Structure formats: structure tokens, C-alpha cells
Amino acid sequence: MSLETFFQHLSNGLALGSLYALIAIGYTMVYGILRLINFAHGDIFMISTYIVFYGVTMFLMPWWVAFVVAILLTGIFGILVERVAYRPLRDSPRISVMISAIGASFLIENLAIVIFGGRPKAFPIPDYFNQVAHFNTISIPFANFFIPIVTLTSLVILLFIVNKTKTGMAMRAVSKDYEAARLMGINVDNIISITFGIGSMLAAIGGILWGIKYPNLIPLLGIMPGLKAFIAAVIGGIGDIKGAVIGGFLLGMSEIMIIAFLPSLTGYRDAFAFILLIAILLFKPSGLMGQNVTEKV
Amino acid sequence: MIKITDLHVYYGGIHAIKGISLEVPKGKIVSLIGANGAGKSTTLRAIMKLEKPKEGTISYRDQDITFEKTQKLVKNGLVLVPEGRRVFTNLTVEENLILGAYARKDSDEVHKDLEWVYELFPRLKERRKQKAGTMSGGEQQMLAVGRALMSKPEVLLMDEPSLGLAPLIVKDIFNIIRKINSLGVTILLIEQNAKVALEISDYGYVMETGNIVLEGKGKDLLEDENVKKAYLGA
């Protein structure tokens, strides 16, 4: 492999990894606070791409308006999913909530098929993002720079919110012990809504970037990235935000590199992610960043 | 300050509180003693709405709070130090204390109170940047009390503050309870350690299997033959 193609693969790996990371954060945040895998997360991600599509093609919004609208509406959509599918089951066994999550996911997918139609649509990519940067003989699409930058910026803002603000402190408190959090006067339901809102907004950012890189929209487009991001979250240690990002980059990069170095294995690309999941679950179930916490009683 | 009338609470399928009535007058220390499973914790949890009362009424400052939300109660100065401390082990000591003031809007006062809590518990000041989970049980109990004080309580409900602590630390904790009370905070205390509790209490109630079986002034209960036999090991 020439150095040129290697750099191209590297930039593709970074971009794909960033996208997984953005989606994985949503899984990990919700898990951290509710101990629930939000199976509808990939579908929430999918919704954001269609909001942009309709915003631009039907409501004739400028692309950046459509992006902002999509991020906000997807955030609200995530909050709504929690209200309808998870909140009524707050005191039920965890398995019921999990089944409800799977149900929510199927419902959103099938409603999307009915409403948006099964025929693929083209994500409206602004010209700006379609440019390609040339360095000597290496050509790298603009998006490949843009995607990791947006991801890291979002991560920095998120970590600031979680670690430095009062709301973030409340989120961490709720994730530890939500009865004790209630005793501090924290409205636990609000904090859970905020968590879903933030996670879904990050998924929307991921969705928009995904659309720019892979502009073919179908209602089931959230399934595979959703599963991969879930695997990324598990690799990083579910519940840990930085872990989710590391897991995302690791998974994206290895997927691309496997194809790059062993083109004959291209067909096994998806299988690889699942093999990795099984290996992690077998050898380090707490993930890379997860610790087995010992607590004083 | 708090008045409970004919309260019934079910805990899971069990009839845990079977129609108790009690009163906590302003400025006093009242204790609720009894064996494991007598329903003491459930009573406090019902006051804070962590359990739903089935029948009866609870009032606070002459207002019916039987169905009031926990967060509203905390805002109005009714604060529980839960059993087993329940500090946020993943947060620093200072973050725990600041969360205690979560419902308050007066940030200048909060800052002053933080300094005051640090004065009350110098150990917490030393460890302010440390994760709460790394501290000893006694220190965590101090943090739990400090955190509750940050909510600016008018009534402090305390669930087994001496649980699992060495005798010397228990003494410390009870001195602090008395000190807090002397600052005008009304206290409702639950204890298995009946002797220490009754010694500092103005009034006491004895609970057995969901009922109040005896009540009286703290000193009188200490002298009571039945109490002595059942709870004081005399």
C-alpha cells in the first residue's frame, strides 16, 4: 500500500470512528443514568437525517438552519421516546424496559418506512462539504477533517456540562443513586429528560455528519451504525463518556484498516465488530475504561 | 412542625406501618426507637414520599404534605439524612455538599453555608477535592450530615446516623446533632442505639412491628422498665 492510500484510509477511519463515537455517547449516557440500553437510539439518529432532508427539500431551509432544526427536533424526539416508552416503566423490572426499548425501535423504524417511504433519498449535502483537499497526491474529502473536529468539539462541550455545571453534577448524582438525588431536591425525571435530550442531540450531530459522508437515506439506516456504536460503548466501558469515544475511534479505525490491509475480508466488515464485542465481553466485560468499583459499606 | 395522623404504609406487599400517629414540635429532638423491621425507616421514607402513604395524613408547618413531591419538601426545609449515608461516592466531597444546596437559589448564602459546614467538620475541608467514596464510614456520615445542612433544613430527619460507626465517632455525631438542634433545627431521629438517642431526646416513641407501643419524654423512657429490658440491655 502506498503512503497516499494509507493516509486516505487513516482519514476515513478517523471520520467513521468519530461518527461511532458521537452515537456511542448517547448509549453510554443513558446507560449511566438508567442502566438501560436505549435500543431506539440508532433510530433517533436516523430521524435526524430525514429532518434535514425534509427541512431542505420541502421547507426550503438553508442547510445550516436545517442542521440546527434537526439537532433541536431530534433532541425533543429523544425526550419524547423516554416519556412514552420508558418513564411509565420506571418502577418495572429492567427486562420490561428493555423490551419496551426494542419495541420503540421497531415502531420508529416501521413508522419511518410508512411516512418517509422505503425508497432511498439523497441527503442534501451543502457544496461546501463536497470539496476535496489535495496534498500533493493525497486527496482527502473535506468532511473527513470536519467530522473529527465537530466530534471533539462536541465532546469538550459535553464534558464541560457533565463535570462543571450544576446540571452535570446532578446527572452524575442521579447515575449513582437516584433516591439520594431526589433527597437533594433534584427532579430526577427532569435530569433523565435532559440526558436523553443531550444524547439525542449528539446523535443528530452524528446523523448530519453521517449524511454528509454517506448520503443515501433509508429508514433502516440507523440500525447498523446504532449497533456498532453500542459495541463501541461496550468496548470503551459502558457508562463512561470518554470510554465511548475511545471505543468509537477504535472500532471505526479498525474497521477501515481491516478493509485497507486485507481487502479480501471486506465482506466480513460487520462481522468483525461483533467478533470484537464477543471478545471484549469474554475477556474484559467492564470495557477498556470501566473499573470494577469497590465501595465502602 | 410535623404531625402524623393514623398513617398506614405498605412496603411491597407488607403492611409495614399500621396506623401510627406522632408529633414533632418545633425546636425539639424527637427520637423513634425500635428493633430492625419495626417500621422506623419506612416512617421517615413515607414523610419524604420515597414510599407512598396508603392512608392517614402527614402535615408539616400546618400544611398537608401527604402527597407533596420530595423535591418540594426539600425546598421547604424538610430534609432526610438517609440510612447508610448514601453519599455520592463518585463525586468529590465539595460536589456532594454543593448538591445538598441544589434546591436553593441564594448562591451567596450557599457559599457562606459551605464555609460554615467546613467549620463544623474540618475534616471535610481537608478532603474537599477527594472523591467521597474514598473516605471512611465516619467521614461519610459527616458528609451526609453536612450535605443535609446545606439544604438549610428546618426539620432534619436522621435515619440511623450511628449505623456501623465506632463508639467514639458515634459520640461525635451525637454531639453534632445536639449542636445542630441548638441552632434551631428540629430533629426527628431514628436509632437502634436507643440509649444514646433517648439521652439527647426531648421526646421519644417506641415502635414495634408497625405500631407505636410506647411514648414519653426521653428521660422517662430511659427509666421505663419495658424499654430497659427490650432496648437498653439492662
Side-chain angles (χ1 to χ4, degrees):
Chain A
M1 188 190 309
S2 68
L3 201 61
E4 284 88 358
T5 43
F6 176 75
F7 274 113
Q8 261 154 16
H9 287 309
L10 192 69
S11 87
N12 277 329
L14 266 179
L16 184 63
S18 306
L19 294 171
Y20 287 159
L22 276 172
I23 314 171
I25 291 171
Y27 277 110
T28 232
M29 284 177 78
V30 165
Y31 183 85
I33 221 152
L34 283 185
R35 301 290 178 275
L36 160 78
I37 307 298
N38 179 14
F39 285 105
H41 193 60
D43 305 301
I44 292 171
F45 156 87
M46 171 273 291
I47 291 289
S48 70
T49 61
Y50 276 92
I51 296 175
V52 173
F53 174 80
Y54 285 109
V56 171
T57 58
M58 196 185 268
F59 298 97
L60 306 174
M61 294 173 186
W63 59 269
W64 58 274
V65 176
F67 286 5
V68 173
V69 168
I71 292 169
L72 294 178
L73 285 184
T74 308
I76 295 169
F77 184 70
I79 293 171
L80 228 87
V81 169
E82 191 273 326
R83 278 280 155 94
V84 175
Y86 307 146
R87 189 173 296 182
L89 297 170
R90 187 71 32 92
D91 298 320
S92 313
R94 209 170 308 156
I95 190 85
S96 317
V97 192
M98 202 174 90
I99 291 166
S100 182
I102 295 171
S105 166
F106 286 169
L107 180 69
I108 297 168
E109 284 161 16
N110 286 289
L111 278 179
I113 293 174
V114 173
I115 297 169
F116 306 144
R119 204 182 304 160
K121 297 193 163 35
F123 187 86
I125 307 173
D127 294 335
Y128 177 78
F129 299 100
N130 255 336
Q131 300 173 64
V132 176
H134 299 280
F135 305 93
N136 290 327
T137 51
I138 311 171
S139 24
I140 291 173
F142 243 52
N144 281 8
F145 294 105
F146 193 72
I147 291 172
I149 292 172
V150 172
T151 301
L152 291 178
T153 314
S154 311
L155 177 68
V156 169
I157 296 172
L158 176 69
L159 288 177
F160 176 81
I161 294 174
V162 171
N163 291 320
K164 301 287 175 202
T165 66
K166 206 169 153 185
T167 306
M169 222 187 275
M171 286 165 80
R172 282 180 289 146
V174 171
S175 78
K176 188 75 212 173
D177 183 339
Y178 68 72
E179 203 169 80
R182 253 159 86 194
L183 290 173
M184 302 297 108
I186 294 171
N187 184 335
V188 171
D189 283 335
N190 278 355
I191 296 296
I192 291 172
S193 288
I194 292 171
T195 307
F196 271 85
I198 293 176
S200 304
M201 282 163 76
L202 290 169
I205 295 173
I208 292 164
L209 298 172
W210 187 276
I212 290 171
K213 197 149 172 54
Y214 310 101
N216 192 29
L217 304 189
I218 55 164
L220 301 183
L221 86 94
I223 298 177
M224 223 5 129
L227 281 175
K228 298 272 182 67
F230 166 61
I231 293 171
V234 174
I235 291 173
I238 194 144
D240 187 287
I241 291 173
K242 281 183 223 147
V245 174
I246 292 169
F249 277 112
L250 215 64
L251 184 62
M253 194 59 88
S254 17
E255 244 184 57
I256 297 281
M257 287 304 166
I258 280 188
I259 302 166
F261 285 96
L262 305 162
S264 60
L265 292 183
T266 305
Y268 294 98
R269 177 181 174 171
D270 292 339
F272 166 75
F274 294 102
I275 291 169
L276 199 60
L277 173 68
I278 293 168
I280 284 279
L281 290 178
L282 281 178
F283 299 112
K284 193 152 188 342
S286 56
L288 297 176
M289 303 287 283
Q291 298 127 348
N292 295 318
V293 202
T294 46
E295 274 170 42
K296 286 211 177 71
V297 188
Chain B
M1 285 297 258
I2 296 181
K3 194 170 179 201
I4 296 178
T5 323
D6 192 30
L7 181 73
H8 290 261
V9 184
Y10 287 77
Y11 191 83
I14 303 157
H15 195 175
I17 308 282
K18 301 168 183 161
I20 63 165
S21 299
L22 64 83
E23 210 168 328
V24 184
K26 192 175 164 96
K28 304 286 187 201
I29 301 181
V30 173
S31 60
L32 195 55
I33 60 172
N36 241 339
K40 308 182 302 288
S41 287
T42 311
T43 307
L44 289 198
R45 291 172 60 84
I47 296 175
M48 291 311 291
K49 300 299 121 38
L50 298 178
E51 305 295 339
K52 281 198 193 93
K54 179 99 178 177
E55 252 180 77
T57 57
I58 306 171
S59 73
Y60 168 59
R61 295 192 306 204
D62 294 326
Q63 276 171 348
D64 184 8
I65 56 155
T66 316
F67 299 105
E68 193 61 272
K69 279 191 177 140
T70 310
Q71 70 203 76
K72 189 84 178 287
L73 298 176
V74 175
K75 217 175 189 167
N76 290 332
L78 190 55
V79 179
L80 169 67
V81 181
E83 183 179 358
R85 309 181 267 278
R86 309 276 286 267
V87 296
F88 303 109
T89 49
N90 55 336
L91 271 58
T92 65
V93 169
E94 186 147 304
E95 285 174 329
N96 268 277
L97 292 173
I98 291 169
L99 270 180
Y102 187 84
R104 291 171 59 181
K105 298 277 172 264
D106 49 343
S107 48
D108 292 351
E109 289 291 309
V110 169
H111 196 77
K112 260 187 230 159
D113 285 352
L114 186 65
E115 288 309 316
W116 171 64
V117 168
Y118 281 147
E119 241 169 72
L120 210 56
F121 304 102
R123 184 59 71 84
L124 295 184
K125 187 166 189 173
E126 284 165 32
R127 316 214 149 185
R128 61 205 286 182
K129 298 287 173 215
Q130 209 169 308
K131 288 261 158 69
T134 63
M135 299 200 302
S136 72
E139 288 165 337
Q140 287 191 19
Q141 185 64 60
M142 288 174 191
L143 179 57
V145 175
R147 185 178 66 175
L149 290 177
M150 289 299 292
S151 311
K152 222 174 188 175
E154 285 184 41
V155 178
L156 198 55
L157 312 174
M158 305 184 89
D159 195 342
E160 304 263 10
S162 76
L163 193 76
L165 300 182
L168 224 70
I169 298 168
V170 173
K171 212 172 143 199
D172 276 352
I173 295 280
F174 275 81
N175 281 334
I176 285 159
I177 295 174
R178 220 183 307 202
K179 194 163 172 187
I180 294 166
N181 175 247
S182 71
L183 296 168
V185 179
T186 307
I187 289 172
L188 174 55
L189 177 67
I190 280 186
E191 266 296 340
Q192 286 197 48
N193 195 338
K195 188 164 182 287
V196 213
L198 290 174
E199 269 169 5
I200 66 162
S201 298
D202 298 293
Y203 205 79
Y205 292 89
V206 180
M207 272 189 96
E208 253 168 43
T209 56
N211 293 299
I212 288 178
V213 291
L214 198 63
E215 60 180 280
K217 287 192 178 138
K219 286 196 188 85
D220 296 347
L221 287 180
L222 272 173
E223 300 299 318
D224 187 282
E225 286 306 318
N226 291 326
V227 173
K228 268 187 183 170
K229 221 186 284 166
Y231 302 105
L232 304 178

